Amino acid sequence: MLITSSTDLSKLQDTLIGVAHSEECSIFGQAGLEEFLRKHSLGEFSPIYGNYILLRKDAQGTDIETDHFGLSKVYCYKGVSSWAISDSIAKLTDFAKMNGERLTPYRPAAYAFQMKTGIGQQLSSFRTAVAEITLVPHWFNLRVDQSGLSLHRKAHPNWSPDLDASIDSAKRFFGSLVRSYLDRGFNPIILLSAGLDSRCTAAVLSSSLSSDQSSKIGSVSMKGAAFAAERELAEQLASKFNFSQIAGIPMERRPSWSDWRVAFLGAYSVFDRFPRFSLPTVLFGGSCAENIKPFYDWGGQLAGIPFPDIIPDDMKSEIYGD
């Protein structure tokens, strides 16, 4: 996606990049959106979950929405005489170079790439390695019309403050989500260990699906002698929940260098939208918290971030303070 200050806004159309889920339905990519629009209006679809960018066109302009959790990212370039928005930093730098606009390195953001175990431990900032390019906060939508660009706060998701009601709603949605994947021909895989996180995921999956549907869920547990006892328990759980035990996760086609550059260069993310490079392996598990545990101590302060020696001392303080 690339929309610029010279784009003919009349040519923009309702567009879905990625996969979007509401409590009523799931839509997979542009083909799924076109199928949906043959029977419904776009106003009937209010997604929250997923990994998507959704363009809604009206008579005056176009609204650009992303998922509520920021998995899909939109960036904005502001030059001297032009602007552009895109889901790709590489596309924005190409736009700036083609139009003779400035590109100024922002060193603190560039040095952040040197941090080890970056996923889950990356700096919280809307700035990127290019000073003229910023990340649009995921709690805002963009509006593009004849007057230019504007930001509008998203409506807050109407989640119930009642814990039991929230759990029940999450269970219904999770079941609907998995059934959507099964209906589209995907066989999801659960990364199952003896840990509480993945056991909770397995329990919700099992309670949301029929026995026949559960049998289409693949189960993978950790290898190696050190995990023998845990693997045995995970296999017993898989048998109890009627999951199919498989040897490993199928390999996916990797992107070419040009594909990788467009999708990931400068983006601080390993999450990609469906199905940019190949049909995805749908994975469920409970390991996300493991990536964040070393990042904060019990006082909530930054603790022990491993900066390499290449970063100058003055830059370390600027990174911390960004």
Side-chain angles (χ1 to χ4, degrees), residues 1-34:
M1 179 188 76
L2 179 65
I3 301 173
T4 75
S5 48
S6 60
T7 296
D8 184 351
L9 299 182
S10 66
K11 293 183 178 180
L12 294 179
Q13 301 294 327
D14 294 333
T15 303
L16 176 64
I17 305 171
V19 56
H21 309 286
S22 71
E23 294 189 353
E24 291 77 28
C25 65
S26 300
I27 298 181
F28 295 80
Q30 184 63 17
L33 179 64
E34 292 171 1

Side-chain angles (χ1 to χ4, degrees), residues 28-273:
F28 295 80
Q30 184 63 17
L33 179 64
E34 292 171 1
E35 180 181 341
F36 177 85
L37 293 177
R38 283 195 284 269
K39 298 180 179 178
H40 307 273
S41 71
L42 191 53
E44 297 177 55
F45 186 54
S46 299
I48 296 175
Y49 308 97
N51 189 352
Y52 67 87
I53 297 174
L54 178 62
L55 277 65
R56 296 180 187 264
K57 181 180 172 62
D58 59 36
Q60 287 74 43
T62 299
D63 291 311
I64 302 171
E65 306 173 10
T66 59
D67 58 88
H68 278 250
F69 302 97
L71 295 180
S72 280
K73 296 175 172 59
V74 175
Y75 301 92
C76 179
Y77 172 86
K78 291 186 177 181
V80 175
S81 58
S82 61
W83 56 262
I85 55 176
S86 179
D87 55 346
S88 167
I89 290 178
K91 286 184 178 180
L92 292 176
T93 58
D94 290 345
F95 164 81
K97 286 187 288 187
M98 287 179 60
N99 288 274
E101 289 278 12
R102 62 188 178 194
L103 290 169
T104 310
Y106 179 60
R107 290 200 296 161
Y111 279 129
F113 285 108
Q114 298 291 331
M115 292 171 60
K116 299 178 182 177
T117 59
I119 179 171
Q121 297 190 3
Q122 292 168 157
L123 303 178
S124 178
S125 175
F126 301 124
R127 304 180 73 173
T128 72
V130 179
E132 291 80 14
I133 298 176
T134 55
L135 173 66
V136 177
H138 66 82
W139 53 88
F140 280 93
N141 291 330
L142 274 170
R143 173 76 176 173
V144 183
D145 53 31
Q146 294 300 331
S147 61
L149 285 177
S150 57
L151 287 173
H152 300 275
R153 183 94 184 197
K154 291 180 180 177
H156 194 278
N158 187 27
W159 288 320
S160 171
D162 180 81
L163 179 59
D164 291 335
S166 295
I167 292 173
D168 187 57
S169 177
K171 175 183 171 181
R172 291 198 309 272
F173 170 74
F174 198 23
S176 173
L177 171 63
V178 177
R179 287 190 292 273
S180 294
Y181 281 118
L182 292 173
D183 290 344
R184 300 295 292 189
F186 298 103
N187 291 335
I189 295 172
I190 181 169
L191 308 178
L192 189 58
S193 70
L196 177 62
D197 293 348
S198 66
R199 279 187 287 162
C200 286
T201 304
V204 173
L205 273 174
S206 178
S207 63
S208 305
L209 304 173
S210 67
S211 178
D212 179 62
Q213 290 170 331
S214 294
S215 68
K216 297 177 182 178
I217 305 294
S219 171
V220 174
S221 53
M222 289 180 286
K223 309 295 187 207
F227 301 105
E230 186 167 359
R231 183 168 61 252
E232 181 180 357
L233 179 55
E235 290 172 352
Q236 292 176 8
L237 289 170
S239 178
K240 178 179 178 62
F241 291 133
N242 200 35
F243 299 147
S244 300
Q245 298 182 37
I246 60 177
I249 301 172
M251 292 295 293
E252 296 183 17
R253 182 174 68 86
R254 298 300 181 185
S256 66
W257 157 247
S258 59
D259 285 339
W260 181 91
R261 177 181 179 273
V262 167
F264 298 114
L265 182 64
Y268 304 91
S269 177
V270 299
F271 295 103
D272 190 37
R273 283 185 302 275

